Amino acid sequence: MAANSSSTVSKPSNSTGGKQSGPSAEQVVAAFQRMRSEQRSMASKAAELEMEINEHSLVIETLKDVDPTRKCFRLVGGVLVERTVKEVLPALESNKEQISKIVESLNTQMQSKGRELTEYREKYNIRLVGEGEEGQGKSAASSNGGEGSASKGGAGVLVS
């Protein structure tokens, strides 16, 4: 049984004499953590872009009630530029649409990453720490009823 500060890994006994096929438990955990990190970064980027969409919507609603010839200022690449409302409003609406498309794309990527994570968890029998307490009653019942279900996965990996 190998352990590090963030996860516990249990290896099944192999009758092949020590040669293990596939990645080691540490490699499995590292790959799983990397995929979780990628999914989290996608989620935080999507949340950040959602806030930008809300800001764009607020500014667009404010500028719709203003005289189109009135001057306004816009930050472009770190430089404050003076424009009129009629010049800025279409650009804001276009930016909002583009950001919305990016958010949709990120959500699609997050869903596929979630499916990939689920498949990876099932393939390598990975359990998260919080799931251990809930799943112990179920796993004890299933191991008594069907012995093949406990040994169908590779290494049992517990990830915090």
Side-chain angles (χ1 to χ4, degrees):
M1 196 152 153
N4 66 21
S5 63
S6 65
S7 62
T8 304
V9 179
S10 60
K11 296 180 183 177
S13 59
N14 286 343
S15 60
T16 59
K19 274 270 185 176
Q20 185 178 5
S21 62
S24 71
E26 289 80 15
Q27 291 170 331
V28 169
V29 170
F32 181 71
Q33 295 288 9
R34 180 183 43 77
M35 289 192 299
R36 282 177 62 188
S37 174
E38 289 172 2
Q39 189 182 34
R40 282 188 196 121
S41 67
M42 280 188 236
S44 66
K45 187 63 177 177
E48 178 185 327
L49 291 175
E50 285 287 343
M51 289 191 312
E52 281 195 34
I53 289 172
N54 291 338
E55 289 176 8
H56 275 70
S57 298
L58 182 65
V59 172
I60 288 168
E61 289 302 314
T62 302
L63 290 180
K64 281 185 177 178
D65 299 334
V66 176
D67 179 31
T69 59
R70 184 173 174 181
K71 74 174 155 180
C72 66
F73 295 91
R74 181 174 180 214
L75 194 63
V76 179
V79 178
L80 197 58
V81 185
E82 182 180 335
R83 299 277 187 242
T84 62
V85 171
K86 70 179 178 184
E87 294 172 337
V88 170
L89 199 54
L92 284 174
E93 291 170 343
S94 172
N95 285 353
K96 180 183 170 188
E97 289 174 19
Q98 291 174 351
I99 294 171
S100 295
K101 289 177 185 175
I102 292 170
V103 168
E104 289 175 18
S105 171
L106 270 174
N107 286 336
T108 304
Q109 290 175 8
M110 282 188 337
Q111 289 173 352
S112 67
K113 183 62 75 173
R115 284 190 295 273
E116 183 181 337
L117 270 168
T118 303
E119 292 169 5
Y120 195 81
R121 284 179 64 188
E122 291 171 358
K123 180 179 178 182
Y124 291 105
N125 192 22
I126 298 173
R127 294 173 316 206
L128 298 176
V129 171
E131 295 174 342
E133 294 97 30
E134 298 170 2
Q136 282 179 351
K138 295 177 186 175
S139 64
S142 67
S143 65
N144 291 341
E147 293 177 10
S149 65
S151 62
K152 77 174 180 178
V157 181
L158 181 63
V159 179
S160 61

